[in-house]
Amino acid sequence: MQARNLNLKSTPVSAALSAFLNALGSSLSPRFERVESGESLGRILSQAVYARASSPMFNASAMDGIAVNAADTALAAADKPITLLRGKKYQSVNTGDPVRPPFNAVIMAEEVRETGMKENACDTVELRSPASPWQNIRTVGDDIVRGEMLLPSRHRIQPVDIGVLLAGNITEIDVFKKPRVAIIPTGTEIVKAGAASYKEGEIIESNGGMLRAMTWECGGGGTLYPPVADDYTLLRTAVKDALATHDMVLVNAASSAGTEDYTASVLAELGSVIVHGVAMKPGKPVILAIVDNKPVIGIPGYPVAAHLAFNIFAAPLLRTLSGCHAENAAIGTAAPLHRALAGCSEGNAPTIQAVFSGKRASPPKAREYIRVRVSKVDDTYHAVPVGHGSSSAMSLVKADGFCVVPENKGGLDAGELVPVELYRPLAKIEGALAAIGAEDIMLEIMSDIFLTMDVGGFSFSSAPAGSIGGLQALKRGECHIAPIHLLDENSGEYNVPFIRAHFKDEDMALIKGVRRTLGLIVQKGNPLNIKGVRDLASCRYIHRQRGSGTRVFCDYQLKQAGLPALPPDTREATGQLAVASAVSSDSADAGLGVLAAARALDLDFIPLGTEEYDFACRPRHLELPQTKLFLKILTSEAFTRRLEKSSGYTFDRCGDLVMISALP
Amino acid sequence: MQARNLNLKSTPVSAALSAFLNALGSSLSPRFERVESGESLGRILSQAVYARASSPMFNASAMDGIAVNAADTALAAADKPITLLRGKKYQSVNTGDPVRPPFNAVIMAEEVRETGMKENACDTVELRSPASPWQNIRTVGDDIVRGEMLLPSRHRIQPVDIGVLLAGNITEIDVFKKPRVAIIPTGTEIVKAGAASYKEGEIIESNGGMLRAMTWECGGGGTLYPPVADDYTLLRTAVKDALATHDMVLVNAASSAGTEDYTASVLAELGSVIVHGVAMKPGKPVILAIVDNKPVIGIPGYPVAAHLAFNIFAAPLLRTLSGCHAENAAIGTAAPLHRALAGCSEGNAPTIQAVFSGKRASPPKAREYIRVRVSKVDDTYHAVPVGHGSSSAMSLVKADGFCVVPENKGGLDAGELVPVELYRPLAKIEGALAAIGAEDIMLEIMSDIFLTMDVGGFSFSSAPAGSIGGLQALKRGECHIAPIHLLDENSGEYNVPFIRAHFKDEDMALIKGVRRTLGLIVQKGNPLNIKGVRDLASCRYIHRQRGSGTRVFCDYQLKQAGLPALPPDTREATGQLAVASAVSSDSADAGLGVLAAARALDLDFIPLGTEEYDFACRPRHLELPQTKLFLKILTSEAFTRRLEKSSGYTFDRCGDLVMISALP
């Protein structure tokens, strides 16, 4: 075993950023460039812009009509019309035409009666009321006066600004130059996406594309380098090359304690490493270095850690360089660099207060960032942690925001009110129908159909927690509906007995969903010749998690067959596809799930029985527009057609309502 | 005079849009294209995306450490360490390395004691605790399972999505194609910006650049054509050409009743005009036509009308075509097209309730859109109309939003609560120090310095209303501070007597500002040899508006000299630069103003005296962070240096506070 960087330090987040900024000092200065006004949408002005021309540039008619000298019309009256001769006493003008002396007023066309006609154009007009001097004339500078400040410093150019710049004869403006960021993925095992198949051990490069897009969102421009193998010299060359043409370099992965992690040594040779290791979770193995007076950041490899490290350490620098920091700062706080120091990881995220669901222990002396889904139920926001590790990129896609556990707080308690910084607009969260409970492929189809229905911002958001977990979440008010499939062994009835048991004092509703086929998912071709639950004890069986309806179903099937329960296992799959995946990758021989999951990974399926997959709900939430939409989709042809493709589903009672009264 | 389109109809806004959409029917269908995942930031998915690969693709170590078979470690204990031999019983692994049978668990490096050393690598390790099966292993599909829905339909791609797409081996995605919009400015007098000088009658093309940028914001791509002269054949050719390569055409201007307005006739010949003339103010002369099954919209020429017509008629179509309509729809309402029909002109603007300032009569049977500045003072939003006509592009730049006066409402009353659709984020409005009152160049410098100070979202927003208007606005609570320069003729004292008179029952504060020189602004070289107020009666004098401190100063100077007041004029300049502009363009010989205004337009200046330009304020607002910042800037060297360039200012009492007690 080679020497490892076991001595990663744990510098607190604020101290790390602070040290980095101090070391960077004035080398973190924005640069500017001149761009065409017409192409400047979204760019940030480096300085105030002053008009070079007035608008209008001459006294101009504000109407279609005739230009007159007001004095000539003074005697006009309804009963004593006056007549003016064209050329001498009036002139036809269109909107925008110059009005020159002796004319000093415009009368709109609708108020003019044309009298004498001459070659298709009248040569006299009749007026019945006098004109005031300067009426209907836009005098020079009416809109813009030459020398006037059109737009202030640090202003982000909007479409109307482009119109005003051009009207003020400003064809070029000075704006913040976009900082150029090089992103260097590293790792011999890292390969590009797009291949038909991959060798075992190869990992698709995916952080680089994300990081590049993140630089765009901070007003920068990103260059994604091809992956660099784990080789000291290659990495050094790549970093040197990138620095020659970029303002910042991000080296992805290779910053931890692995044997092939050369980044810190390379950066120490080329320049100086200010910080290696930050007391945050996830994201500990961050490197903050300076080479050639430019920031070089070692970004951890796991997607969640990479995302967070970028937001905390790279984003504030980029926003400063690109000039878009001012507008991202929230009201009442210091500048974004200082906000970042104070622990706010994102500059422009709205923050809400939410009830935290589920106790969470955080590591001592480290700041933890917990991704959460947020639901709004009965005017309360609830934050439910999502994802079980920093390796889950999907958890970032699914999270609505995150909350921060400060150093030394030790964790969060269930029911505690926590601030959540949102990844999405609040409106999206407020329009969502929140479902927590048993997982099924129908939920993602439901979510998809919601979005294609074009119904004004409503969406469907589901989180897996198993059937019992769903009922508990519903009880705590964390969701609107709980998808469940729970068989009562005594009565043989589905779901209703469990709702009654969990909600003794409340009237409840059950929305009938689908009937689905459960069975054993086994290897393609069923090499072990598994025929039913009888064969499970002698093969590698992958359990679903406790509290899931599927686990209850399995125990019931074994009991019915007079067999003992299967021994527990430290590994439990938390979803249908996870079961199929374990079988598909040959780390299990069989697991229980739905036909759709077996089909998705081209596995064999041995049907064991059908079950009822329904939705528990509080009656008052049936009135929500998003619940009504849910019911509408549930009974729609679009839905059944999409789900039938996955097969194993029937829809005879789908959308029916069962009302369950509170116990007397 | 040629035949004019005097017969513009007045179709109500909703009816106009409705008729247009009905006529367009299914020709308004989005198109799709395939783009690279890495380049797809901000694009909208046309359909759900499913993973083509699992992540991880193999059972992978989640740690740097050693891979073992859990069974081999079962007997390890703190007091009974076991020893494992490399190769046979363990293997070194880095994070992400495959873990193959017989190994099924990973022990982190920190928990392993290396013992026997062989050629720089240890060949045995010692363990003091057992490992559980599958610990520290990310099993296949832990993050993403092949076949799983990664992202739903209509989803706008975020940076994290790019990471997930690549990790799921999706290198290309299907997205909504950006609709191509041609913008054709028309008018023989329309010329491009950038010339050193212009002939009288020439107008700089500025709407086109604005409209093109507006198409970008709706997810489209715009082509700006060179201006087309007022010629039937040229316009017809340009429209035909544009339609061949674009999905929508906007013809700017030439849609009113002017003699050279051919657009309606051209469109009627090429296709069909659905609506010509909409009952809205501004923006009446809109044309909605269909040519070659594509929408062609005649957009009015005045910037405010153009902006509004685009937002009401073009934007909903573009959002539908570009797929970004769903996310722009607000919660609880119908789709944006229907929202547009219901009178909401912008899809994604937040709406607030604000107290309307200043009575406003609206035209009967037309829907009026009033641009307003919004201030937040003591938890109340106030909306103050801005701009005096649809020709003022600067009013769009300065407005924070607009309110809609429905058809037949007749107008808005002072103090009425009105909904305001915002152009800017609410946070920007809430962080602003609102000033209403006398205008001075120092206000725009103040606004500029606020933005360069990088102080977390605070800004300075000022609106001109004259000194008396400012005190009245302050009284009504519409602003935080009122810039005033009011001379009390009896006492010779500035400002304090006026505050006392307006706020009899309140303790007030006066922030001392600058001392500035007022004088007569006259033509360069002073051809009329104007020497003082004595000469004003015999020249064309341009008044400032009533209630302005400058007007009071003028009257006082005349009185001091024993001269009669000057006769009133229908034309009144509403700002310093407006006075200078009237003189510069030779529509006046003299006006009263500050030296800076004369300098800005290279005019001569005859000093008459100095005056005190201060700020009235409620004492409690002195505690606001934005007021503190204002005071800090007021006394800063940066401020005095910037203002000295404009000259005529002195700063001896700048920033001093004068407390004015309520009358007993």
Side-chain angles (χ1 to χ4, degrees):
Chain A
M1 202 176 290
Q2 294 191 326
R4 289 170 184 273
N5 292 323
L6 287 182
N7 300 324
L8 264 185
K9 285 197 185 141
S10 268
T11 312
V13 178
S14 307
L17 184 55
S18 187
F20 195 34
L21 292 173
N22 285 339
L24 281 165
S26 63
S27 54
L28 199 68
S29 297
R31 277 184 277 181
F32 308 111
E33 65 181 340
R34 185 156 285 199
V35 296
E36 279 185 40
S37 301
E39 304 293 334
S40 67
L41 184 71
R43 300 302 293 269
I44 315 276
L45 283 172
S46 60
Q47 54 185 20
V49 179
Y50 294 85
R52 282 179 51 211
S54 293
S55 172
M57 297 189 283
F58 48 87
N59 292 330
S61 176
M63 297 273 173
D64 294 337
I66 60 168
V68 298
N69 185 302
D72 293 340
T73 68
L75 299 175
D79 54 346
K80 278 196 178 175
I82 62 162
T83 297
L84 298 181
L85 186 65
R86 189 152 79 106
K88 290 206 153 169
K89 293 293 181 182
Y90 83 87
Q91 189 176 33
S92 284
V93 284
N94 284 333
T95 306
D97 283 351
V99 177
R100 303 185 181 92
F103 303 129
N104 68 353
V106 168
I107 302 169
M108 66 191 295
E110 288 82 343
E111 290 173 2
V112 173
R113 209 182 129 229
E114 298 172 354
T115 43
M117 290 294 289
K118 203 172 179 180
E119 292 167 18
N120 281 330
C122 64
D123 57 359
T124 55
V125 293
E126 201 178 273
L127 296 180
R128 288 171 183 269
S129 60
S132 311
W134 303 107
Q135 76 173 31
N136 298 329
I137 289 178
R138 298 175 59 225
T139 52
V140 173
D142 181 59
D143 186 11
I144 295 170
V145 180
R146 179 159 57 86
E148 176 182 2
M149 187 188 291
L150 293 176
L151 300 167
S153 304
R154 306 290 172 106
H155 177 80
R156 184 188 283 269
I157 301 295
Q158 306 294 320
V160 290
D161 303 330
I162 293 176
V164 163
L165 287 168
L166 294 172
N169 202 20
I170 305 292
T171 50
E172 291 182 331
I173 53 175
D174 292 317
V175 297
F176 282 74
K177 198 168 176 175
K178 296 181 179 211
R180 294 155 304 171
V181 182
I183 296 133
I184 307 178
T186 68
T188 307
E189 72 286 5
I190 302 295
V191 292
K192 284 184 73 175
S197 69
Y198 290 91
K199 283 184 264 185
E200 191 186 50
E202 288 182 335
I203 297 173
I204 297 176
E205 202 295 295
S206 60
N207 281 343
M210 173 183 80
L211 291 170
R212 188 165 72 121
M214 290 178 88
T215 68
W216 294 334
E217 290 204 329
C218 294
T223 309
L224 179 56
Y225 278 63
V228 175
D230 293 311
D231 178 286
Y232 189 95
T233 313
L234 288 177
L235 182 59
R236 189 179 53 184
T237 305
V239 171
K240 283 296 283 179
D241 279 3
L243 279 165
T245 46
H246 291 82
D247 303 305
M248 184 189 290
V249 175
L250 307 178
V251 182
N252 190 217
S255 56
S256 181
T259 47
E260 298 157 337
D261 295 350
Y262 302 111
T263 312
S265 333
V266 166
L267 297 182
E269 186 204 317
L270 293 176
S272 53
V273 172
I274 311 298
V275 171
H276 187 191
V278 177
M280 58 191 265
K281 182 190 173 188
K284 185 178 176 184
V286 167
I287 302 172
L288 305 176
I290 301 178
V291 182
D292 298 348
N293 287 317
K294 292 171 182 176
V296 180
I297 304 181
I299 301 267
Y302 277 144
V304 180
H307 190 257
L308 200 58
F310 181 95
N311 275 332
I312 295 176
F313 297 107
L317 308 189
L318 285 175
R319 291 206 187 98
T320 296
L321 291 174
S322 67
C324 64
H325 52 322
E327 65 177 22
N328 282 299
I331 295 311
T333 61
L337 284 182
H338 300 107
R339 294 188 68 235
L341 288 172
C344 310
S345 57
E346 306 225 5
N348 54 354
T351 299
I352 55 157
Q353 296 290 323
V355 176
F356 188 73
S357 164
K359 206 175 162 57
R360 173 86 159 218
S362 292
K365 293 189 184 167
R367 185 180 290 177
E368 183 169 16
Y369 298 81
I370 302 174
R371 285 142 286 154
V372 293
R373 269 171 190 275
V374 178
S375 61
K376 189 185 184 188
V377 179
D378 295 338
D379 296 327
T380 302
Y381 296 108
H382 295 270
V384 181
V386 53
H388 48 283
S390 72
S391 59
S392 172
M394 279 305 278
S395 71
L396 280 175
V397 171
K398 287 175 176 164
D400 296 308
F402 64 94
C403 48
V404 179
V405 186
E407 291 89 347
N408 299 321
K409 186 169 184 317
L412 296 176
D413 282 327
E416 188 172 343
L417 208 58
V418 293
V420 177
E421 275 198 56
L422 296 179
Y423 290 137
R424 312 180 199 287
L426 194 54
K428 288 217 169 177
I429 289 164
E430 303 205 328
L433 181 69
I436 300 180
E439 194 223 14
D440 190 89
I441 284 165
M442 71 152 279
L443 298 181
E444 66 184 30
I445 290 173
M446 177 62 68
S447 150
D448 192 46
I449 297 180
F450 252 79
L451 295 167
T452 53
M453 294 267 293
D454 186 15
V455 280
F458 293 117
S459 62
F460 180 78
S461 155
S462 71
S467 292
I468 296 293
L471 286 175
Q472 289 165 345
L474 185 65
K475 180 89 182 169
R476 290 191 297 267
E478 289 164 10
C479 56
H480 298 107
I481 62 171
I484 53 173
H485 56 117
L486 289 164
L487 173 64
D488 179 40
E489 295 188 10
N490 301 319
S491 65
E493 191 183 7
Y494 263 92
N495 300 326
V496 172
F498 287 83
I499 295 175
R500 203 161 265 144
H502 278 78
F503 298 84
K504 291 197 175 75
D505 307 327
E506 280 191 81
D507 290 340
M508 293 294 291
L510 183 74
I511 301 170
K512 292 300 290 178
V514 295
R515 189 173 270 277
R516 64 180 194 179
T517 305
L518 272 191
L520 293 171
I521 298 170
V522 298
Q523 308 277 356
K524 181 79 176 169
N526 194 5
L528 298 185
N529 199 23
I530 293 166
K531 289 193 173 115
V533 288
R534 209 163 290 276
D535 304 315
L536 295 183
S538 59
C539 75
R540 295 173 302 162
Y541 178 77
I542 173 118
H543 276 287
R544 282 295 306 277
Q545 84 275 22
R546 273 157 252 242
S548 66
T550 306
R551 184 129 178 184
V552 171
F553 185 94
C554 177
D555 293 345
Y556 180 70
Q557 293 287 328
L558 290 163
K559 204 167 171 186
Q560 290 285 90
L563 295 166
L566 294 170
D569 189 352
T570 46
R571 187 175 50 147
E572 294 177 343
T574 54
Q576 302 278 357
L577 279 171
V579 169
S581 181
V583 174
S584 167
S585 63
D586 196 21
S587 69
D589 298 314
L592 191 60
V594 296
L595 174 57
R599 286 211 173 155
L601 295 188
D602 195 23
L603 298 165
D604 275 14
F605 184 78
I606 300 145
L608 293 180
T610 65
E611 56 165 10
E612 296 171 34
Y613 182 86
D614 304 327
F615 304 90
C617 177
R618 286 196 165 84
R620 67 171 177 277
H621 292 149
L622 291 171
E623 300 308 312
L624 292 174
Q626 51 267 56
T627 313
K628 288 182 177 165
L629 187 58
F630 172 80
L631 283 165
K632 189 176 159 195
I633 294 173
L634 205 56
T635 54
S636 70
E637 215 190 293
F639 175 71
T640 50
R641 203 169 47 230
R642 283 279 291 272
L643 205 52
E644 266 168 6
K645 278 193 196 167
S646 308
S647 191
Y649 294 89
T650 54
F651 306 93
D652 33 312
R653 293 190 62 197
C654 198
D656 286 359
L657 278 179
V658 179
M659 303 311 291
I660 304 167
S661 302
L663 292 175
Chain B
M1 200 178 291
Q2 294 190 327
R4 289 170 184 273
N5 292 323
L6 288 182
N7 300 324
L8 266 185
K9 282 194 187 146
S10 269
T11 312
V13 178
S14 307
L17 184 55
S18 184
F20 195 33
L21 292 173
N22 284 340
L24 282 165
S26 63
S27 54
L28 199 69
S29 296
R31 276 184 279 179
F32 308 112
E33 64 181 339
R34 185 156 287 198
V35 296
E36 279 184 40
S37 302
E39 304 294 335
S40 67
L41 183 70
R43 301 300 292 268
I44 316 276
L45 283 172
S46 60
Q47 55 185 17
V49 179
Y50 293 85
R52 281 179 52 211
S54 293
S55 172
M57 297 189 283
F58 48 87
N59 294 328
S61 176
M63 296 275 173
D64 295 336
I66 60 167
V68 299
N69 186 300
D72 293 339
T73 69
L75 299 176
D79 54 345
K80 279 197 179 173
I82 61 164
T83 296
L84 298 181
L85 185 67
R86 191 152 79 106
K88 290 205 157 170
K89 293 293 182 185
Y90 83 88
Q91 188 177 34
S92 285
V93 284
N94 284 333
T95 305
D97 282 351
V99 178
R100 303 186 181 89
F103 303 129
N104 68 354
V106 168
I107 300 170
M108 66 191 294
E110 288 83 343
E111 291 172 4
V112 173
R113 203 177 138 233
E114 299 171 354
T115 44
M117 290 296 289
K118 203 174 180 180
E119 293 168 16
N120 282 329
C122 64
D123 56 0
T124 55
V125 293
E126 201 177 87
L127 295 181
R128 289 170 184 267
S129 60
S132 312
W134 304 106
Q135 77 172 32
N136 298 328
I137 289 178
R138 297 177 58 225
T139 52
V140 174
D142 181 59
D143 187 12
I144 295 170
V145 180
R146 179 160 55 88
E148 176 181 1
M149 186 188 290
L150 293 175
L151 300 167
S153 305
R154 306 290 172 107
H155 179 78
R156 184 187 284 268
I157 300 296
Q158 306 294 319
V160 289
D161 303 329
I162 293 176
V164 163
L165 287 168
L166 295 172
N169 202 19
I170 305 292
T171 51
E172 291 182 331
I173 53 174
D174 293 316
V175 297
F176 282 75
K177 197 168 178 176
K178 296 184 178 205
R180 295 156 303 173
V181 182
I183 296 133
I184 307 178
T186 69
T188 306
E189 71 285 6
I190 302 295
V191 291
K192 285 183 72 174
S197 69
Y198 290 91
K199 278 182 267 183
E200 191 186 49
E202 287 182 334
I203 297 173
I204 296 177
E205 201 295 295
S206 59
N207 281 342
M210 172 182 80
L211 292 170
R212 188 165 72 121
M214 290 178 88
T215 68
W216 294 333
E217 291 205 327
C218 293
T223 310
L224 179 55
Y225 278 64
V228 174
D230 293 310
D231 178 288
Y232 189 95
T233 315
L234 288 177
L235 182 58
R236 188 178 53 184
T237 306
V239 170
K240 284 296 282 178
D241 280 3
L243 281 165
T245 48
H246 292 82
D247 302 306
M248 184 189 290
V249 175
L250 307 178
V251 182
N252 190 219
S255 57
S256 179
T259 48
E260 298 157 338
D261 297 350
Y262 301 110
T263 312
S265 334
V266 165
L267 298 182
E269 187 205 315
L270 294 176
S272 52
V273 172
I274 311 299
V275 171
H276 187 192
V278 177
M280 60 191 263
K281 181 190 174 187
K284 184 178 176 184
V286 167
I287 303 172
L288 305 177
I290 301 178
V291 181
D292 298 348
N293 287 317
K294 293 172 181 174
V296 181
I297 302 181
I299 301 267
Y302 277 143
V304 181
H307 189 256
L308 201 57
F310 181 96
N311 275 333
I312 295 177
F313 297 107
L317 309 188
L318 285 175
R319 292 206 187 98
T320 297
L321 292 173
S322 67
C324 64
H325 53 325
E327 66 176 21
N328 282 298
I331 295 310
T333 61
L337 285 181
H338 300 106
R339 291 187 71 235
L341 286 172
C344 310
S345 57
E346 307 224 6
N348 53 354
T351 298
I352 54 158
Q353 296 289 321
V355 176
F356 188 73
S357 163
K359 205 173 162 57
R360 174 87 160 217
S362 291
K365 294 190 184 167
R367 185 181 288 179
E368 183 168 16
Y369 298 82
I370 302 175
R371 284 143 286 153
V372 293
R373 269 171 190 274
V374 178
S375 61
K376 189 187 186 187
V377 179
D378 296 338
D379 296 327
T380 302
Y381 296 108
H382 294 270
V384 181
V386 53
H388 48 282
S390 72
S391 59
S392 172
M394 279 305 279
S395 70
L396 280 175
V397 171
K398 288 175 175 164
D400 296 308
F402 64 93
C403 50
V404 179
V405 186
E407 291 89 344
N408 299 320
K409 186 168 184 316
L412 295 176
D413 283 326
E416 187 172 346
L417 208 60
V418 294
V420 176
E421 276 197 55
L422 297 179
Y423 290 138
R424 316 180 196 284
L426 193 55
K428 289 220 169 177
I429 289 164
E430 302 202 329
L433 182 69
I436 300 180
E439 194 223 14
D440 189 89
I441 284 164
M442 71 152 281
L443 298 181
E444 66 185 29
I445 291 173
M446 177 62 67
S447 149
D448 193 46
I449 297 180
F450 251 80
L451 295 168
T452 54
M453 294 266 293
D454 187 13
V455 280
F458 293 116
S459 62
F460 179 79
S461 154
S462 71
S467 292
I468 297 292
L471 287 176
Q472 290 165 343
L474 185 66
K475 181 90 182 169
R476 289 191 298 268
E478 289 163 10
C479 56
H480 298 107
I481 63 172
I484 54 173
H485 55 116
L486 289 164
L487 173 65
D488 179 39
E489 295 189 10
N490 302 319
S491 64
E493 190 184 8
Y494 264 91
N495 300 329
V496 172
F498 287 83
I499 296 176
R500 205 160 263 146
H502 277 78
F503 298 84
K504 291 197 174 75
D505 307 328
E506 279 193 81
D507 291 341
M508 293 295 290
L510 182 73
I511 302 170
K512 292 300 292 179
V514 295
R515 189 174 270 278
R516 64 180 194 179
T517 305
L518 272 190
L520 292 172
I521 298 170
V522 299
Q523 308 279 357
K524 180 80 176 168
N526 195 4
L528 296 185
N529 198 23
I530 294 166
K531 290 194 173 111
V533 287
R534 210 164 286 276
D535 303 316
L536 296 183
S538 59
C539 75
R540 294 173 302 161
Y541 178 77
I542 174 119
H543 276 286
R544 283 293 305 279
Q545 83 275 20
R546 272 158 254 243
S548 67
T550 306
R551 184 128 177 182
V552 171
F553 184 95
C554 177
D555 292 345
Y556 181 70
Q557 293 288 327
L558 289 164
K559 205 168 168 182
Q560 289 286 92
L563 295 167
L566 294 170
D569 190 352
T570 46
R571 186 175 53 147
E572 295 178 342
T574 54
Q576 302 277 358
L577 279 171
V579 169
S581 181
V583 174
S584 167
S585 63
D586 196 21
S587 70
D589 298 313
L592 192 60
V594 295
L595 175 56
R599 286 212 174 154
L601 295 188
D602 195 23
L603 297 166
D604 275 14
F605 184 76
I606 301 146
L608 293 181
T610 64
E611 55 164 12
E612 296 170 34
Y613 182 86
D614 304 326
F615 304 89
C617 177
R618 287 195 165 83
R620 67 172 178 277
H621 292 148
L622 291 171
E623 300 308 312
L624 292 174
Q626 52 267 58
T627 313
K628 288 181 178 165
L629 188 59
F630 173 79
L631 284 164
K632 189 175 160 193
I633 294 173
L634 204 56
T635 53
S636 70
E637 213 191 296
F639 175 71
T640 51
R641 204 170 44 231
R642 282 279 293 270
L643 204 52
E644 267 168 4
K645 276 192 195 166
S646 307
S647 191
Y649 294 88
T650 53
F651 307 92
D652 34 310
R653 294 192 61 198
C654 199
D656 286 359
L657 277 179
V658 179
M659 304 311 290
I660 304 166
S661 303
L663 292 176

